[in-house]
């Protein structure tokens, strides 16, 4: 039985090992809100201690499938491995129309991030892409132990000698939750739609941009022909959707897949109901080829306030809470029937500067401060940032000091700047740089821009993330010492001003997947919106020719060592341009009730995270601690947002061939 690793104490060593489009996904927005962190700047302590309605969703029919197979881990050749499962599919009457939990064993997960879309063609936020991993299969998955690519919807795959044609064998034992068989045609249609309709490529277009053609010569064979070699062909993190449902959709830019339930899928769970900023309800897919989850229902319940989520955990009203603040985690350490998981994370926490929002047609837009186009100003701002203080005082040791774009958890791609390249904490150097470039202080101590106006900046802050607020206070102090003003704009929705380019700086962050292609692609010129009024896949409107050249090289490089070197060169280039400044790699701080969850799989299995994994392992593997209601609340109305989950089985599957491993991540997560 797979269980969590022993509690991990705070660590500072680099052992970290992982979905903006129409709706910008920013991992940081997934942070659980809480009261202000106890850490505030020394000087601040004396002041302030801050979704075309779907036309064709068929009702799920009960179907019984007896499935059994041995689980075998092989080597070299890709083979299939699964565990037995039997049961019936979802029925329409399984749907709950209100927010009350009605199952016996309910796994409840508290979340604070709003769902941007339930359409996998649009969703970017971690909570949304995590849901898609639960209700749709991807071609491949990631081994929970070491993140190697393993069978998902595809049981095997192989490239042609020139690596321009990839053939995937589609499993025979996967069915849609309405009883229809899943075939290669579903996968071919999914990819083809993304290739031909820009609106369907909003979230995952980087995966198919290099596809020349996708065909399904028979129900069990998918063939993808490429224009150029593509290294992430075993890590295509794209949810495969049912053609018979989605071919009825008209406008993919507006269809959010959230008006008819249950939603037809083929993953371990079936999404049965959803209410914006209230809950997401899922039931086990009894016919899931890998085995059905063991919890009767999985519910994600929305809490805007992190302290309220923690209180609900204490009372047994929820089973699991992610994204704890250090103070919240400390308060739960000795709580009865609660386990705190403190593990190296798969995301970064960064400062992003507006490089001058622009579109592919050359059109400029937004209201970014022109002084930030000067690399001297950006470098000076970053020299004034004390990463060590952020680790120690904001994250209280539950993070690792950051610099490169890829967290140290992904060793093949991890990068650190050399001593001469590093933008170290040096306030005196920051001031000297500004003075030397003509940004001098006036008699009132205000740093003046070359236009004669004071340097006053705005930074976008996620209202639900206390880390944003705490770091914002430090920045106000550090940059204030330079004579630079900073307004911290904490908003519930930062996506709208971000997409419009209406910001100077922003707190940014993404979940990084085992293959980093996606999080690199969002900084390429091709990710920009086509026009100023359009939406692209860009994170921060960065467009740099050298970065694009390196991206193209790594995308087609199959040699793992050479690709790793190219990815490190990309991070070095991104660092030097100064539009992104990674401050820390936060640990995953989360907690769950041991009287509700008996066992659950972390990723990696040896001391990894539970929420926002590269796969569905945590919620699929989770086993109820006792029979009966797993989460119940006082008053009978709010028992748990359950993540119905499941079968504690050891996943064993053979894996081999390329080192392609991928992003998000999604999400968050994307995610």
């Amino acid at each position: 039985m797979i269980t969590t690793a022993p509690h991990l104490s705070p660590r500072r060593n680099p052992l970290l090992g992982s979905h903006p489009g129409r709706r910008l996904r920013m991992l940081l927005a997934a942070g659980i809100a809480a009261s202000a962190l106890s850490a505030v700047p020394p000087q601040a302590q004396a002041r302030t201690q801050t979704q075309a309605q779907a036309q064709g969703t068929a009702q799920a029919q009960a179907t019984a499938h007896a499935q059994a197979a041995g689980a075998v881990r092989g080597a070299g050749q890709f083979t299939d491995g699964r565990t037995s499962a039997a049961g019936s599919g979802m029925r329409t009457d399984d749907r709950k129309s209100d927010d009350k939990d009605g199952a016996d064993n309910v796994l409840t997960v508290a979340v604070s991030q709003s769902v941007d879309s339930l359409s996998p063609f649009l969703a970017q936020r971690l909570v949304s892409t995590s849901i898609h991993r639960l209700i749709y299969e991807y071609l491949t998955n990631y081994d929970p132990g070491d993140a190697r690519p393993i069978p998902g919807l595809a049981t095997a795959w192989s490239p042609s000698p020139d690596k321009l044609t990839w053939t995937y064998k589609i499993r025979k034992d996967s069915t849609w939750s309405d009883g229809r068989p899943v075939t290669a045609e579903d996968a071919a249609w999914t990819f083809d739609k993304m290739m031909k309709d820009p609106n369907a490529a909003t979230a995952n277009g980087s995966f198919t941009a290099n596809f020349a053609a996708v065909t399904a010569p028979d129900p069990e064979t998918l063939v993808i022909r490429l224009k150029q070699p593509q290294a992430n062909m075993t890590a295509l993190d794209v949810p495969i959707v049912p053609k018979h449902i989605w071919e009825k959709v008209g406008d993919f830019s507006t269809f959010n897949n959230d008006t008819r339930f249950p939603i037809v899928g083929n993953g371990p769970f079936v999404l049965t109901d959803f209410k914006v900023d209230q809950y997401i309800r899922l039931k086990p897919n009894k016919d899931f080829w890998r085995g059905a989850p063991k919890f009767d229902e999985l519910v994600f319940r929305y809490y805007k306030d992190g302290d309220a989520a923690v209180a609900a955990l204490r009372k047994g009203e929820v089973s699991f809470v992610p994204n704890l603040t250090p103070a919240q985690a400390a308060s739960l350490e000795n709580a009865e029937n609660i386990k705190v998981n403190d593990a190296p994370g798969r995301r970064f926490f960064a400062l992003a500067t507006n490089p001058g929002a622009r579109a592919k047609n050359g059109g400029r837009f937004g209201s970014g401060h022109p002084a930030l186009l000067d690399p001297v100003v950006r470098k000076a701002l970053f020299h004034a940032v004390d990463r060590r203080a952020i680790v120690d005082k904001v994250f209280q040791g539950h993070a690792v000091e950051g610099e490169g774009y890829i967290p140290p958890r992904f060793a093949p791609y991890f990068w650190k700047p050399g001593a001469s390249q590093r933008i170290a904490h040096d306030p005196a150097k920051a001031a000297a740089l500004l003075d030397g470039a003509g940004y001098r202080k006036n008699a009132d101590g205000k740093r003046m821009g070359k236009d004669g106006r004071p340097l006053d900046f705005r930074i976008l802050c996620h209202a639900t993330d206390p880390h944003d607020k705490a770091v914002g206070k430090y920045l106000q102090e550090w940059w204030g010492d330079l004579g630079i003003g900073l307004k911290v704009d904490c908003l519930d929705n930062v996506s709208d001003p971000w997409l419009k380019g209406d910001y100077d700086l922003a707190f940014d962050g993404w979940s990084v997947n085992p293959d980093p292609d996606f999080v690199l692609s969002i900084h390429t010129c091709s990710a920009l919106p086509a026009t100023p009024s359009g939406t692209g896949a860009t994170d921060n409107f960065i467009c740099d020719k050298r970065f694009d050249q390196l991206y193209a090289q790594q995308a087609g490089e199959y040699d793992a060592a050479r690709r790793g070197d190219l990815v490190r060169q990309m991070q070095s280039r991104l660092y030097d341009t100064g539009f992104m400044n990674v401050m820390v790699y936060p640990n995953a701080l989360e907690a769950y009730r041991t009287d509700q969850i008996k066992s659950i799989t972390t990723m990696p299995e040896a001391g990894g995270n539970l929420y926002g994994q590269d796969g569905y392992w945590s919620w699929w593997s989770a086993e109820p601690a006792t029979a009966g209601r797993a989460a119940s609340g006082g008053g009978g109305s709010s028992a748990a947002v359950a993540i119905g989950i499941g079968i504690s089985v050891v996943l064993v599957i053979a894996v081999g061939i390329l080192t392609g491993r991928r992003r998000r991540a999604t999400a968050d997560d994307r995610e």
Side-chain angles (χ1 to χ4, degrees):
M1 180 171 297
I2 303 172
T3 60
T4 53
H7 169 65
L8 299 174
S9 59
R11 60 192 69 190
R12 297 179 184 175
N13 54 71
L15 301 177
L16 306 173
S18 139
H19 13 302
R22 178 170 231 27
R23 294 161 177 83
L24 185 65
R25 172 197 107 189
M26 284 161 290
L27 205 257
L28 295 179
I32 292 290
S35 58
L37 291 176
S38 59
V40 295
Q43 297 172 18
Q45 288 179 352
R47 302 190 291 268
T48 317
Q49 300 273 27
T50 121
Q51 168 205 192
Q53 173 169 330
Q55 295 180 1
T57 304
Q59 293 185 344
Q61 300 294 322
T63 59
H65 275 265
Q67 305 174 358
V72 181
R73 184 183 293 279
Q77 200 64 271
F78 287 105
T79 58
D80 183 18
R82 58 187 182 271
T83 55
S84 63
S88 60
M90 290 296 302
R91 301 187 308 274
T92 307
D93 60 6
D94 284 327
R95 180 161 70 94
K96 302 293 179 183
S97 60
D98 57 26
D99 66 345
K100 295 181 176 62
D101 304 307
D104 288 334
N105 284 301
V106 179
L107 195 159
T108 305
V109 175
V111 295
S112 67
Q113 188 180 51
S114 298
V115 170
D116 51 346
S117 178
L118 289 180
S119 165
F121 298 97
L122 296 177
Q124 292 292 320
R125 293 179 181 170
L126 182 63
V127 65
S128 310
T129 57
S130 295
I131 294 297
H132 291 142
R133 282 195 177 274
L134 299 176
I135 65 177
Y136 300 110
E137 275 272 46
Y138 297 11
L139 287 181
T140 60
N141 209 323
Y142 299 102
D143 188 288
D146 58 13
R148 291 175 298 169
I150 60 174
L153 181 59
T155 62
W157 47 90
S158 60
S160 59
D162 63 2
K163 295 185 171 59
L164 291 179
T165 301
W166 284 74
T167 302
Y168 301 81
K169 298 308 294 183
I170 302 301
R171 64 176 59 257
K172 304 175 184 179
D173 56 352
S174 180
T175 58
W176 297 112
S177 54
D178 62 0
R180 298 275 290 265
V182 181
T183 70
E185 183 62 26
D186 293 303
W189 185 89
T190 299
F191 291 127
D192 189 66
K193 187 66 180 179
M194 292 169 61
M195 294 164 61
K196 295 177 179 178
D197 185 344
N199 293 320
T202 298
N204 296 304
S206 65
F207 291 109
T208 59
N210 185 45
F211 287 12
V214 183
T215 58
D218 61 67
E220 297 169 23
T221 306
L222 175 72
V223 179
I224 300 177
R225 185 163 55 84
L226 304 171
K227 301 171 186 175
Q228 301 290 336
Q230 184 168 323
N232 65 353
M233 294 304 288
T234 59
L236 298 173
D237 288 351
V238 177
I240 303 303
V241 302
K243 175 185 177 182
H244 65 284
I245 299 295
W246 285 83
E247 64 183 353
K248 300 172 185 178
V249 174
D251 187 352
F252 276 71
S253 71
T254 60
F255 177 64
N256 280 310
N257 198 31
D258 59 1
T259 59
R260 300 189 64 181
F261 301 94
I263 291 175
V264 177
N266 66 329
F269 294 91
V270 177
L271 200 160
T272 59
D273 201 6
F274 164 69
K275 283 190 178 180
V276 177
D277 288 350
Q278 293 186 46
Y279 59 80
I280 308 161
R281 310 180 69 88
L282 303 98
K283 292 271 188 155
N285 179 355
K286 303 296 185 180
D287 295 323
F288 184 54
W289 69 272
R290 218 185 272 279
K294 286 188 176 179
F295 274 91
D296 295 329
E297 190 173 28
L298 165 61
V299 183
F300 293 88
R301 188 169 297 279
Y302 183 81
Y303 286 85
K304 184 175 180 180
D305 181 78
D307 288 335
V310 169
L313 182 72
R314 288 182 179 276
K315 292 187 290 185
E317 295 175 351
V318 300
S319 313
F320 178 91
V321 176
N323 305 316
L324 298 171
T325 66
Q328 290 168 342
S331 74
L332 294 171
E333 283 287 357
N334 298 314
E336 186 178 3
N337 297 322
I338 292 177
K339 179 180 179 63
V340 174
N341 186 44
D342 180 5
R346 53 180 284 246
R347 66 186 183 95
F348 60 81
F349 181 89
L351 278 174
T353 61
N354 187 339
R358 53 177 155 169
K360 292 178 184 176
N361 67 359
R364 299 275 180 170
F365 56 97
S367 59
H369 200 296
L372 290 172
L373 299 179
D374 188 338
V376 172
V377 174
R378 300 194 299 271
K379 189 171 184 178
L381 291 177
F382 299 155
H383 268 303
V385 174
D386 188 345
R387 295 179 181 84
R388 187 74 255 161
I390 294 174
V391 170
D392 293 341
K393 297 180 180 179
V394 175
F395 290 89
Q396 297 181 23
H398 301 274
V400 174
E401 191 173 339
E403 286 169 318
Y405 194 66
I406 309 296
R409 170 165 164 173
F410 306 104
Y413 304 109
F414 179 61
W415 170 87
K416 286 179 68 69
S420 62
Q421 183 183 15
R422 185 169 182 261
I423 305 175
H425 177 230
D426 191 336
K429 186 171 184 178
L433 283 171
L434 292 169
D435 288 337
Y439 299 93
R440 298 186 177 276
K441 289 183 177 180
N442 63 14
D444 297 323
K446 286 291 298 182
R447 188 74 59 172
M448 305 303 292
K450 294 182 179 181
D451 57 3
R453 295 184 297 174
L455 290 185
D456 290 315
F457 300 133
R458 306 158 296 169
I459 188 167
L460 281 177
C461 158
H462 301 82
T464 58
D465 195 324
H467 298 119
D468 283 16
K469 297 175 182 178
V471 174
K473 291 178 182 291
Y474 277 100
L475 295 180
Q476 285 176 321
E477 179 183 329
W478 296 332
W479 294 350
D481 289 342
L482 291 175
I484 295 173
L486 180 67
K487 179 184 178 184
V488 182
D489 290 328
C490 291
L491 309 173
D492 288 333
N493 176 16
V494 300
S495 295
D496 288 347
W498 197 308
L499 292 173
K500 295 175 182 177
D502 288 332
Y503 66 99
D504 299 327
L505 301 107
F507 289 110
D508 197 4
W510 287 75
S511 288
V512 177
N513 289 60
D515 187 291
D517 183 87
F518 178 82
V519 292
L520 298 173
S521 73
I522 60 179
H523 295 311
T524 60
C525 300
S526 63
L528 295 174
T531 65
S533 61
T535 55
T538 184
D539 174 42
N540 196 40
F541 303 102
I542 294 173
C543 178
D544 177 74
K545 290 184 178 180
R546 178 57 183 157
F547 184 88
D548 275 22
Q549 291 170 354
L550 290 167
Y551 175 78
Q553 291 179 54
Q554 70 81 32
E557 181 55 72
Y558 289 100
D559 181 271
R562 288 199 293 265
R563 186 175 182 221
D565 181 63
L566 288 166
V567 169
R568 285 186 285 274
Q569 290 182 50
M570 293 179 71
Q571 295 178 78
S572 178
R573 178 62 181 174
L574 192 61
Y575 187 88
D576 287 344
T577 58
F579 292 117
M580 290 286 294
N581 185 267
V582 176
M583 296 181 288
V584 300
Y585 310 112
N587 282 13
L589 265 181
E590 48 200 9
Y592 66 92
R593 294 197 61 92
T594 56
D595 57 349
Q596 295 181 18
I597 301 174
K598 179 179 180 180
S599 66
I600 189 168
T601 303
T602 57
M603 185 176 185
E605 291 172 318
N609 60 288
L610 292 166
Y611 185 77
Q613 294 180 353
D614 296 299
Y616 40 64
W617 309 116
S618 55
W619 313 132
W620 171 76
S621 71
E623 185 176 358
T626 58
R629 294 188 71 81
S632 61
S637 72
S638 99
V641 179
I643 276 185
I645 296 129
I647 252 182
S648 60
V649 291
V650 177
L651 172 66
V652 264
I653 306 179
V655 113
I657 233 166
L658 303 175
T659 58
R661 308 175 183 181
R662 243 237 70 258
R663 152 220 76 143
R664 80 183 179 191
T666 234
D668 69 324
D669 20 84
R670 256 203 237 261
E671 136 183 311

